[in-house]
Amino acid sequence: MAIVKMQTARTTQLDPIAAAEDLVRQLQGGATPKLVTLFASRDRDQVALNRALRERLPAGTRLVGATTGGELDNQGIYQGSVVLGALSGDFEVGLGLGTGLSVDAVGAGGAAIKRAAQELGVRQQDIDARKYVGLVIDDGFRYKKEELLLGILEKNPTLILVGGGASDHEYDPAKASALLHVDGEVATDGVLVALFKTNAPWAALRSHWYVPTGERVVITKVDESAQRALEIDGKPAALRYSELLGVPVDELEYPKPRGFAAHPTALKVGREYFIRSPWKPLPDNSILFANLLEEGTELELMKVGDMAGATRTFFQEELPRRVQNPQAALLFHCGGRMYYSHVTGTAAQLADTLRHAPSAAGMNVHFEIYSGFHINTTLTVLAFGGN
């Protein structure tokens, strides 16, 4: 028998020492954790909090985490708190941190997975994707997910990855910043990989609330950055999107309720739709996307469904179907999705769905990682169970 379990703890204490003591006290009586995940509001003193936790956690317990745009557990979605997930059971974990993300993202991703694999005593090319899974958290505001994923997957493209970008409560990207925790180190401009090896049931999953419309568009021209669509279907991108939705260009920007948030695009991979949404129209009628674009790419136009209902069904039906006897779920919830729920008045219903999850800890992230893809407007999940 193999099983991975998780205890969770949350505190609103502001003082780092008081916060650490409150969190560790809540974990007392449980199994000694092998790995603790730390999801902390960006307004906390991250270095002091890290130090206080390390002093109080068992010496052999590993620590990873990040600053957030909101913290999640089974009781809801919060701002201004700290949430821990304490994982124990039948697994080994190796940790790796790659820095200099904004200068060499491919190299940073490669360094992180190399170190994590070394800690487990396995060569990257020998990682068995049936027994290993990678958790990835990056500095989301560097916008380097596609490149860092190339580095992580270069020597083993079959490795499954799930995670998201460290974030901030500050919505202005020019002012926002993010920090990562890897054991006693607190870093920015980096990416961390936690590589799990286990015989327990596990799955990387994703949930969004969109359904395909059957209408497809083609990215026919992009700029040199590969992030701006200049033309869609041979027409100025924003004008074509406005035409498709029947709304003015100035109502397209995410998260306005009639624009990209209600009708994003998705990349169809097999039977799955990976949301890769437009972000904002620009004055020259181009559209800025959150991810890299390639000319000639065909994308499916999606339409909004029931966010809370789809998420509840995901926790009640899909997750238990994919993971035997689910015990733990690490959640990476799109910050834009959270913002859209506030715009549409559905935030309370969305938060309520978390009570249907197995023991859960997570954060609102700045864009998501799933199966080697940079996606958005999605909840990505790493779940463990028991057999």
Side-chain angles (χ1 to χ4, degrees):
M1 178 177 177
I3 192 168
V4 176
K5 295 184 176 182
M6 183 168 69
Q7 280 185 282
T8 66
R10 185 175 73 90
T11 187
T12 56
Q13 293 281 350
L14 297 177
D15 177 77
I17 293 176
E21 290 181 346
D22 187 18
L23 292 165
V24 173
R25 177 188 55 77
Q26 293 175 54
L27 300 178
Q28 290 174 357
T32 299
K34 292 183 178 178
L35 177 71
V36 166
T37 60
L38 165 65
F39 303 119
S41 175
R42 182 66 184 91
D43 58 6
R44 302 305 177 96
D45 183 336
Q46 302 294 316
V47 173
L49 179 61
N50 182 291
R51 184 184 306 116
L53 277 170
R54 284 261 40 112
E55 290 173 351
R56 288 161 177 80
L57 289 172
T61 298
R62 310 300 299 275
L63 176 69
V64 296
T67 57
T68 77
E71 304 79 48
L72 286 71
D73 64 15
N74 293 99
Q75 280 67 56
I77 304 174
Y78 318 93
Q79 286 198 340
S81 66
V82 181
V83 168
L84 291 190
L87 291 153
S88 60
D90 302 300
F91 71 93
E92 299 174 58
V93 66
L95 305 183
L97 173 66
T99 56
L101 189 62
S102 58
V103 176
D104 181 6
V106 174
I113 186 63
K114 180 179 180 180
R115 176 62 183 274
Q118 285 175 339
E119 289 199 353
L120 292 178
V122 62
R123 298 191 310 165
Q124 291 167 250
Q125 56 267 39
D126 295 334
I127 292 173
D128 183 345
R130 294 168 298 180
K131 295 184 178 181
Y132 291 79
V133 61
L135 172 66
V136 181
I137 305 177
D138 66 302
D139 181 340
F141 299 109
R142 307 295 171 164
Y143 302 98
K144 293 291 185 179
K145 282 184 174 61
E146 272 105 348
E147 296 98 316
L148 71 86
L149 288 171
L150 289 174
I152 294 174
L153 296 172
E154 180 181 12
K155 294 185 178 181
N156 194 327
T158 65
L159 178 63
I160 301 298
L161 305 172
V162 64
S167 192
D168 194 337
H169 294 302
E170 172 59 63
Y171 289 116
D172 183 352
K175 299 177 182 178
S177 62
L179 292 169
L180 308 175
H181 294 259
V182 181
D183 284 335
E185 188 168 359
V186 179
T188 189
D189 194 21
V191 54
L192 72 85
V193 173
L195 184 63
F196 291 86
K197 179 184 179 183
T198 184
N199 289 316
W202 63 267
L205 306 104
R206 65 95 184 92
S207 173
H208 60 73
W209 73 102
Y210 295 105
V211 293
T213 65
E215 188 163 11
R216 295 174 176 84
V217 299
V218 177
I219 305 297
T220 46
K221 189 175 182 180
V222 302
D223 76 334
E224 63 279 0
S225 75
Q227 283 192 289
R228 284 196 302 132
L230 303 179
E231 293 182 0
I232 294 177
D233 296 336
K235 299 180 180 180
L239 298 183
R240 175 59 176 150
Y241 223 101
S242 172
E243 176 185 46
L244 287 166
L245 302 192
V247 302
V249 170
D250 61 7
E251 291 189 30
L252 291 177
E253 183 172 354
Y254 198 100
K256 293 182 178 179
R258 298 177 63 204
F260 300 143
H263 295 277
T265 53
L267 180 68
K268 188 177 183 182
V269 181
R271 297 181 179 180
E272 293 196 70
Y273 292 91
F274 293 173
I275 305 299
R276 294 164 69 85
S277 177
W279 189 354
K280 61 179 72 174
L282 300 177
D284 62 355
N285 284 320
S286 65
I287 295 176
L288 178 66
F289 277 66
N291 52 272
L292 298 180
L293 301 168
E294 185 176 356
E295 290 182 0
T297 300
E298 184 179 81
L299 298 172
E300 181 101 5
L301 191 66
M302 309 293 280
K303 64 180 179 180
V304 70
D306 178 358
M307 184 192 300
T311 308
R312 186 182 309 108
T313 299
F314 167 77
F315 285 129
Q316 290 179 325
E317 299 179 12
E318 183 177 352
L319 194 154
R321 185 170 61 247
R322 295 277 303 278
V323 181
Q324 181 182 351
N325 187 21
Q327 298 288 317
L330 295 171
L331 311 179
F332 302 91
H333 185 242
C334 174
R337 171 181 158 104
M338 189 73 238
Y339 192 45
Y340 182 71
S341 74
H342 285 292
V343 170
T344 55
T346 57
Q349 296 96 308
L350 179 62
D352 184 66
T353 67
L354 297 177
R355 63 188 176 89
H356 299 286
S359 183
M363 64 175 183
N364 289 336
V365 298
H366 199 59
F367 304 118
E368 303 83 65
I369 289 169
Y370 176 72
S371 292
F373 287 89
H374 167 199
I375 56 176
N376 50 26
T377 322
T378 301
L379 168 67
T380 63
V381 178
L382 177 56
F384 295 98
N387 57 24

